[in-house]
């Protein structure tokens, strides 16, 4: 507790007060003992002086107890009495300290002196010296200014405390971030070390290959290249010889039967009952042309308009080729007649003429590479003329292969299946796009991607004129455009199986 004048009041414990009292008491006792000893010594000298006056005669012959030497005769001793010492002066005992108030008792209020007084705040401390009074007065005068300064400093101190707290928090946050960054750097260093090791391994592997394997592979490739060059030269020589042989038109060495008609059914009815090549003339205004007639399958009379059996003919042809027909109709089987059918397409113009003679049915036969056979028969089959883009119309499905032309691919559902229906579609080739696949890119055409001309939708469930693959199964990486471009009938063998044989035959429809 601070008091006026800058003095601080401290509460002294009772034990300390008792110790102070005992020390003061001991000091007083020692002082009294010293004073008594001094008085006693003075009285002792007085008694010695009196003895010389009364018993002077004895002094000449005896030595006193203090060992004084005897004086010569006639000499007098100087007076030995000394003036008495002044009495002890001083403050004497200080005022007794006040006793500590009893616990639980009522404290007496402290009365502070005026600012000009020179007393301690507690009576037992006595009176201040003049210098202390002046110091106290000066301190009291300066207390107001000090208090104002303290009041001004306090908000600054609080602001400084707040700033220091913020700085401490920020420093703590920076410490945490620094630790996180150190951990991240350590992880990055570990990762860099791992990648460095892996990179060194890869570098070593590549260097070994460059130094050892690649030169040997280059030598091997050079040998292969030389072999290919020699083979190419042999092929070029063979092609040149074949070109010379083909400069003259090919002729069939077998005889053609005399019997003829509008189509094979009429020839059958005229007595032509053997399956071989015949001449037919559906329209008297056009020249007759050769066809292969199947006279044995399902009572005969079938005009073969398409046949695939060995991949000897390329079916990726132009619009005009499909219009006029291409391929080999038949060949000599060894009996002097053309009784073995070849690979060919009869021609859209001729197919349209035959199917427009009257009601026509079609039979599509196919065989896989395990010699299994199925067929699809349509009791209604018509192809329109070129002005109508050779539009296809079929009806009345019968058979075991699946109704691909009218119902689409059975493995698909919804719109995906609808876009594979061929009934009602126009004929398309890679140079005449009439399919149902509308695309901004002109290269996106079914005929280009599926390998042949056909009544494509978007794109097919059947592709009899597709690319010929030996062995049946093929994959997208074998296909030119990565599509199912084989000789396909999806309702039997799905998309990635190319048939060994497939043929399309037509004849007039008649009821039994």
């Amino acid at each position: 507790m601070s008091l006026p004048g800058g003095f601080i009041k401290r509460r002294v414990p009772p034990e300390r007060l008792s110790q102070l009292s005992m020390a003061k008491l001991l000091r007083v006792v020692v002082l009294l003992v010293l004073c008594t000893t001094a008085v006693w010594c003075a009285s002792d000298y007085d008694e010695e002086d009196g003895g010389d006056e009364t018993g002077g005669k004895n002094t000449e012959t005896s030595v006193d107890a203090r060992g004084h030497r005897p004086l010569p005769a006639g000499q007098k001793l100087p007076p030995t009495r000394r003036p008495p010492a002044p009495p002890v002066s001083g403050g004497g005992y200080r005022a007794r300290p006040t006793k500590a108030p009893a616990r639980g008792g009522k404290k007496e209020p402290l009365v502070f002196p005026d600012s000009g007084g020179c007393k301690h705040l507690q009576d037992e401390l006595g009176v201040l010296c003049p210098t202390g009074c002046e110091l106290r007065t000066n301190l009291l005068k300066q207390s107001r200014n000090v208090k104002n300064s303290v009041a001004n400093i306090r908000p600054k101190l609080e602001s400084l405390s707040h700033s220091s707290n913020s700085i401490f928090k920020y420093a703590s946050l920076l410490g945490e971030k620094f630790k996180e960054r150190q951990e991240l750097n350590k992880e990055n260093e570990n990762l860099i070390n791992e990648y460095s090791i892996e990179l060194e391994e890869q570098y070593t592997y590549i260097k070994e290959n460059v130094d050892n394997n690649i030169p040997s592979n280059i030598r091997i490739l050079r040998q292969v290249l030389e072999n290919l060059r020699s083979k190419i030269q042999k092929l070029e020589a063979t092609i040149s010889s074949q070109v010379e042989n083909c400069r003259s038109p090919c002729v069939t060495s077998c005889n053609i039967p005399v019997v003829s008609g509008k189509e094979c059914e009429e020839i059958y009815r005229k007595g032509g009952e053997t399956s071989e090549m015949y001449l037919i003339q559906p329209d008297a205004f056009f020249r007759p042309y050769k066809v292969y007639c199947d006279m044995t399958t399902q009572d005969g009379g079938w005009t073969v308009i398409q046949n695939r059996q060995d991949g000897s003919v390329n079916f990726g042809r132009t619009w005009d080729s499909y219009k006029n027909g291409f391929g080999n109709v038949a060949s000599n089987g060894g009996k002097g007649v053309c009784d073995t059918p070849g690979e060919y397409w009869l021609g859209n113009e001729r197919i349209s003429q035959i199917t427009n003679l009257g009601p026509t049915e079609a039979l599509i036969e196919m065989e896989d590479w395990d010699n299994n056979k199925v067929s699809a028969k349509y009791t209604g089959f018509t192809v329109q003329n070129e002005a109508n883009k050779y539009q296809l119309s079929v009806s009345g499905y019968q058979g075991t292969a699946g109704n691909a032309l009218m119902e689409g691919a059975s493995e698909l559902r919804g719109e995906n299946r609808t876009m594979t229906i061929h009934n009602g579609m126009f004929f398309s080739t890679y140079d005449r796009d009439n399919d149902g696949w509308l695309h901004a890119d002109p290269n996106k055409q079914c005929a280009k991607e599926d390998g042949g001309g056909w009544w494509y939708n978007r794109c097919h469930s059947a592709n009899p004129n597709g690319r010929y693959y030996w062995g049946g199964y093929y994959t997208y990486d074998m296909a030119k455009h990565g599509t199912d471009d084989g000789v396909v009938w999806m309702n039997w063998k799905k998309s990635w199986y190319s048939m060994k044989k497939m043929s399309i035959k037509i004849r007039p429809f008649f009821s039994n």
Side-chain angles (χ1 to χ4, degrees):
M1 176 178 180
S2 62
L3 299 175
F7 296 101
I8 299 174
K9 178 182 178 181
R10 296 182 179 176
R11 181 178 178 182
V12 182
E15 295 81 359
R16 182 63 178 170
L17 291 175
S18 62
Q19 291 176 1
L20 292 174
S21 300
M22 290 298 294
K24 292 177 181 180
L25 184 59
L26 288 174
R27 290 176 186 173
V28 172
V29 171
V30 171
L31 184 59
L32 291 174
V33 170
L34 292 175
C35 292
T36 306
T37 305
V39 173
W40 181 77
C41 290
S43 62
D44 190 13
Y45 280 107
D46 292 341
E47 290 177 358
E48 289 178 356
D49 293 342
D52 291 338
E53 294 177 356
T54 57
K57 296 180 178 180
N58 297 330
T59 60
E60 296 179 357
T61 59
S62 62
V63 181
D64 60 1
R66 298 191 179 184
H68 289 178
R69 293 180 179 178
L71 293 176
Q75 186 178 1
K76 294 183 181 179
L77 289 173
T80 58
R81 180 176 292 273
R82 297 175 181 175
V88 178
S89 63
Y93 291 105
R94 293 183 181 181
R96 293 180 179 177
T98 58
K99 294 182 179 180
R103 294 183 180 178
K106 185 175 181 181
K107 294 183 180 180
E108 295 181 0
L110 296 175
V111 180
F112 297 98
D114 296 335
S115 60
C118 291
K119 291 184 179 181
H120 279 291
L121 296 181
Q122 295 184 359
D123 295 337
E124 64 270 13
L125 296 180
V127 181
L128 290 173
C129 62
T131 304
C133 290
E134 293 177 1
L135 180 62
R136 181 173 178 272
T137 302
N138 292 330
L139 292 175
L140 289 173
K141 289 179 180 180
Q142 295 177 4
S143 63
R144 293 182 181 179
N145 296 330
V146 172
K147 289 180 179 178
N148 293 332
S149 299
V150 170
N152 294 331
I153 292 173
R154 181 173 286 110
K156 296 180 180 179
L157 185 61
E158 292 177 354
S159 176
L160 182 61
S161 175
H162 180 70
S163 300
S164 62
N165 290 333
S166 301
I167 293 172
F168 176 76
K169 292 180 181 178
Y170 184 68
S172 300
L173 181 61
L174 287 178
E176 294 176 358
K177 294 294 183 181
F178 180 72
K179 290 181 180 179
E180 294 178 359
R181 182 60 58 88
Q182 284 183 332
E183 294 177 356
L184 183 60
N185 290 338
K186 188 178 293 183
E187 293 178 357
N188 291 335
E189 289 177 358
N190 295 334
L191 187 61
I192 290 172
N193 292 333
E194 292 179 2
Y195 279 113
S196 299
I197 294 172
E198 186 175 356
L199 185 61
E200 290 177 358
E201 294 176 354
Q202 294 294 334
Y203 173 77
T204 304
Y205 175 75
I206 293 172
K207 192 174 185 304
E208 290 178 355
N209 287 331
V210 170
D211 295 340
N212 301 324
N213 298 333
I214 291 180
S216 60
N217 291 334
I218 290 175
R219 289 193 295 270
I220 294 172
L221 289 175
R222 285 177 179 173
Q223 294 176 358
V224 173
L225 183 60
E226 292 297 329
N227 293 333
L228 289 176
R229 285 178 180 174
S230 62
K231 290 181 180 179
I232 290 172
Q233 291 175 356
K234 291 179 181 179
L235 287 174
E236 288 176 350
T238 303
I239 291 171
S240 298
S241 62
Q242 292 295 330
V243 169
E244 292 295 331
N245 294 332
C246 291
R247 290 186 184 278
S248 59
C250 298
V251 294
T252 304
S253 60
C254 54
N255 297 321
I256 299 177
V258 178
V259 60
S260 180
K262 294 182 179 180
E263 26 74 22
C264 293
E265 174 62 24
E266 186 174 346
I267 294 174
Y268 183 82
R269 294 187 181 189
K270 290 181 178 181
E273 297 181 355
T274 59
S275 297
E276 55 181 311
M277 183 173 65
Y278 292 89
L279 287 174
I280 63 172
Q281 189 177 16
D283 192 335
F285 292 98
F286 294 91
R287 293 177 59 182
Y289 49 85
K290 300 171 184 178
V291 297
Y292 186 87
C293 294
D294 182 359
M295 301 301 188
T296 57
T297 302
Q298 295 186 14
D299 298 329
W302 297 101
T303 301
V304 178
I305 63 173
Q306 185 262 14
N307 188 51
R308 305 295 300 275
Q309 61 186 13
D310 55 16
S312 59
V313 176
N314 177 24
F315 274 68
R317 303 295 184 105
T318 63
W319 177 267
D320 290 337
S321 294
Y322 272 96
K323 174 183 176 180
N324 301 317
F326 56 86
N328 302 316
V329 176
S331 61
N332 188 347
K335 298 179 181 180
V337 294
C338 293
D339 56 355
T340 303
E343 286 201 338
Y344 73 98
W345 179 260
L346 183 60
N348 290 336
E349 195 66 28
R350 295 169 181 176
I351 297 171
S352 177
Q353 288 178 357
I354 297 172
T355 58
N356 281 281
L357 292 176
T360 305
E361 62 180 353
L363 177 64
I364 304 174
E365 294 181 313
M366 59 201 80
E367 179 180 341
D368 65 10
W369 291 84
D370 294 325
N371 300 322
N372 299 312
K373 299 179 180 181
V374 293
S375 64
K377 186 177 182 181
Y378 292 91
T379 57
F381 184 89
T382 304
V383 176
Q384 302 298 327
N385 57 20
E386 186 177 13
N388 292 315
K389 303 175 184 178
Y390 301 116
Q391 185 180 20
L392 175 67
S393 299
V394 294
S395 61
Y397 166 77
Q398 300 173 0
T400 56
N403 189 8
L405 300 185
M406 296 177 62
E407 296 181 355
S410 58
E411 62 182 285
L412 303 177
R413 295 291 181 271
E415 184 180 357
N416 291 331
R417 182 170 183 173
T418 303
M419 67 178 62
T420 61
I421 294 175
H422 299 282
N423 188 24
M425 300 308 301
F426 300 119
F427 199 87
S428 291
T429 58
Y430 69 83
D431 63 338
R432 189 78 63 88
D433 183 19
N434 297 316
D435 59 33
W437 187 14
L438 303 178
H439 200 284
D441 186 357
N443 294 320
K444 296 293 184 180
Q445 300 177 14
C446 294
K448 284 186 176 181
E449 295 194 354
D450 292 350
W454 187 246
W455 292 279
Y456 290 114
N457 192 337
R458 294 181 52 188
C459 282
H460 67 258
S461 57
N463 194 31
N465 295 337
R467 292 185 176 89
Y468 194 90
Y469 290 95
W470 285 83
Y473 290 106
Y474 65 104
T475 58
Y476 72 93
D477 55 342
M478 297 170 61
K480 184 176 181 180
H481 298 280
T483 58
D484 52 339
D485 58 356
V487 182
V488 171
W489 193 272
M490 291 177 63
N491 291 31
W492 185 34
K493 292 292 184 178
K494 299 184 178 180
S495 300
W496 300 99
Y497 189 93
S498 184
M499 303 298 172
K500 180 180 180 181
K501 294 181 180 180
M502 183 176 287
S503 64
I504 303 176
K505 310 169 185 179
I506 59 175
R507 73 180 178 185
F509 174 74
F510 52 89
S511 57
N512 295 330

